[in-house]
Amino acid sequence: MAEETITLEVTRYRPGHDREPRLQAFQVPYRKDWVVLDALNYIKDCVDGTLAYRWSCRMGVCASCGKMVNGVTKLTCAAFLRDSRPGPIRVEPLANFPVVRDLVISLDDFMEKLRRVKPWIIREKEKPVAEGEYLQTPAQLDLYKQFSMCINCMLCYAACPVYGLHPAFIGPAAIALGYRYNLDSRDEGYRLRQPILAEAVGVWECTFVGECSVVCPKGVDPAAAIQRSKVAGTKDWFLSFLLPWGGRQKAEKR
């Protein structure tokens, strides 16, 4: 009995050699427990070793295997072949990013935006180690926990029509992570971080399409982080008129 197969149509592109991306079809064995990443690995190992793509953990954690699968942003380690049967399955690089080669995109723009929002705890003054760790209540943890689940897979950028039209937009994941640290009771970096989130290419660029939250494989809600940051920015603006600087600081501390 002939082995069952399924067709993958995979983007091939080598800048400097190819004038534009093209699709190449591959026949791969069909296994009901295989995901698209398994099929790509089969092509790499058994058919064409020149195929370029990123992957690492194969467990939905490393965030490196995101691709467009039949036009939808997915982690290929979680996209089963059986869900696209009988095929063909089209595998393309994440939309809205420059392509380095085949399915590999450039991360430079996202990394620069991630750095800008300062996604780390900022302290005005660290207390001595002898005084122990910074404690939080379960309620304080709950405030930001869902936003801390972001794995930087960038599926939300590929699904965001605003980022596609205006690449200067800081974007969903970076804003969600900046907002996450603004909510952290251990953090004192709001004054450094919030103006970046509230700038013209920050939260106000978002038109609340909401696809960023729909495609997130970890259930993070970047759209909510963006809208709540808009509220915070508006509140800051009003307070700047109503309160002297010192009074405004005290109001934010409460």
Side-chain angles (χ1 to χ4, degrees), residues 39 44 53 89 92 94 126 134 137 174 178 181 200 218 226 229 247:
K44 180 81 171 179
Y53 56 101
I89 302 173
E92 300 168 287
L94 285 179
E126 290 286 352
Y134 296 95
T137 66
Y181 283 93
K218 295 299 178 182
I226 293 171
S229 293

Side-chain angles (χ1 to χ4, degrees), residues 2 8 67 105 115 138 149 157 174 206 208 226 238 241:
L8 259 67
K67 308 283 184 295
I105 59 168
R115 180 189 59 77
M149 305 303 287
Y157 283 74
C206 172
F208 200 21
I226 293 171
F238 275 109
F241 287 97

